[in-house]
Amino acid sequence: TDGTSLPVRGIGDPNAPIHMVEYSSLTCSHCADFHKNTWPEFKAAYVDTGKVYMIFREFPLNKPAIEASQILRCMPEDKHYSFMTLLFETQEQWAFSGDYLDKVKQNAKLAGLSEEEITACLADDILAKKLTEGLKVGTEVYGVRSTPSFVINGGERLITGNQQVSFFGKIIDDLLPLKEG
């Protein structure tokens, strides 16, 4: 775990030699850019090959991000990744509009949550506190100051901002155990 009490939501092999935690806000345009433009290539090169286990950790920077994160956390685990991807891909349509919550709810319903589940999720004060706890851990333990930030192997390295895949790759390749030949 990474010091928070929320369940880990990740993709890839949990036994991979590199664990990378992405701290992101669903309303952060740089985070959306990472997920739309950098992540597919990164995932193919490092996650799908078993080198990196990627953990997604919320770092909500405003009320729309908090509420969207709460709804995302109420998704069944098998739908978490696809719904998160949808929220980043459609960020411009919902994150900066006055009716953002209606738009997130509409997407959540299409993904399978009922109105009752969404309402209960948004009223879950414990979940809201756990999301805040994640902000605190990210800031105090790992030095996260902006999104997206990437914590590698429990704080061995901290990468800030959406970087090129080659930039991530150099750091990851340096940390990978040498292949025995």
Side-chain angles (χ1 to χ4, degrees):
T1 111
D2 59 6
T4 69
S5 53
L6 283 167
V8 168
R9 293 285 181 259
I11 188 164
D13 180 359
N15 297 313
I18 305 285
H19 280 209
M20 191 157 126
V21 178
E22 176 197 8
Y23 281 90
S24 66
S25 176
L26 291 169
T27 56
C28 153
S29 59
H30 297 290
C31 301
D33 186 54
F34 170 79
H35 279 271
K36 287 192 272 192
N37 301 310
T38 308
W39 171 245
E41 183 185 343
F42 179 88
K43 181 180 176 290
Y46 292 97
V47 177
D48 296 345
T49 57
K51 295 175 182 173
V52 173
Y53 179 54
M54 183 71 141
I55 296 166
F56 303 104
R57 189 55 79 193
E58 301 85 352
F59 202 84
L61 299 174
N62 56 26
K63 189 170 195 245
I66 291 169
E67 291 176 332
S69 293
Q70 284 179 268
I71 292 171
L72 174 60
R73 274 288 169 171
C74 290
M75 281 288 153
E77 188 170 0
D78 64 337
K79 290 186 178 177
H80 180 273
Y81 175 75
S82 60
F83 191 65
M84 177 188 67
T85 300
L86 174 75
L87 289 173
F88 279 126
E89 286 175 352
T90 62
Q91 183 188 78
E92 289 157 7
Q93 281 98 57
W94 68 269
F96 312 109
S97 66
D99 63 346
Y100 69 89
L101 191 54
D102 292 335
K103 292 177 178 178
V104 173
K105 285 178 175 182
Q106 182 181 5
N107 282 327
K109 286 177 191 169
L110 292 171
L113 285 186
S114 70
E115 181 74 41
E116 294 75 25
E117 288 170 315
I118 294 167
T119 301
C121 191
L122 290 169
D124 186 343
D125 293 337
I126 294 169
L127 176 58
K129 282 188 179 89
K130 287 180 178 181
L131 287 167
T132 305
E133 174 186 85
L135 282 167
K136 188 175 176 195
V137 168
T139 303
E140 293 178 4
V141 177
Y142 301 115
V144 172
R145 298 279 178 267
S146 60
T147 57
S149 286
F150 304 88
V151 175
I152 299 177
N153 286 354
E156 196 172 341
R157 290 294 302 267
L158 173 67
I159 299 172
T160 56
N162 179 17
Q163 304 291 338
Q164 299 288 329
V165 172
S166 57
F167 181 88
F168 286 110
K170 179 170 180 3
I171 291 168
I172 288 165
D173 291 341
D174 286 347
L175 294 173
L176 281 171
L178 293 171
K179 296 276 184 247
E180 302 200 6

